[in-house]
Amino acid sequence: ITHLQRLCDKLGTQSNGRLFFPEPEAIMNSSLAFMKLPERRKQTLQKLAAMFVTKPDNDPQQWATISGIGPWTINYARMRGCSDPDIWLGGDLVLKKRLKRQAIEIDKAAPWRSYLTFQLWQLGNSE
């Protein structure tokens, strides 16, 4: 949340008292020196922004060509940003922890595994 706020504060735009996420061009053209991140992570953000500048309708699967973006991030974007109902983030540490306490057969949740993911994440908030 802190990184997101810094990014918006420095590069975002304001309108009618609201702060908006920066345009990809702003991220691509910024050194991101204000971000307290390793240089490689900054480069990953810049490359992702550049991809959105050149291919605004890109598919998250294409992000795999960018160093620093892996399967978890791609699948999370597909689940949240593309509303794919059948994404299972099996490598997620919170989900692994929840599954140790729950007898759930993941494959039986198809084609709605994204919703199972949300429910298991939420379960942690009510414990």
Side-chain angles (χ1 to χ4, degrees), residues 60-71:
Q61 294 291 8
Q62 296 171 321
W63 302 358
T65 61
I66 300 172
S67 177
I69 298 180

Side-chain angles (χ1 to χ4, degrees), residues 7-39:
L7 192 63
C8 290
D9 287 344
K10 296 289 185 182
L11 301 177
T13 56
Q14 289 200 7
S15 178
N16 297 324
R18 291 186 167 178
L19 180 61
F20 293 92
F21 193 80
E23 293 293 325
E25 292 87 351
I27 297 170
M28 179 182 75
N29 294 322
S30 172
S31 69
L32 302 177
F34 57 89
M35 299 290 289
K36 295 180 181 178
L37 294 171
E39 201 57 40

Side-chain angles (χ1 to χ4, degrees), residues 18 20-21 42 47 49-51 76 81-82 87-88 112 121:
R18 291 186 167 178
F20 293 92
F21 193 80
K42 292 177 192 177
K47 288 176 184 175
M51 182 177 277
Y76 185 82
C82 301
I87 298 296
W88 176 247
W112 308 108
W121 279 340

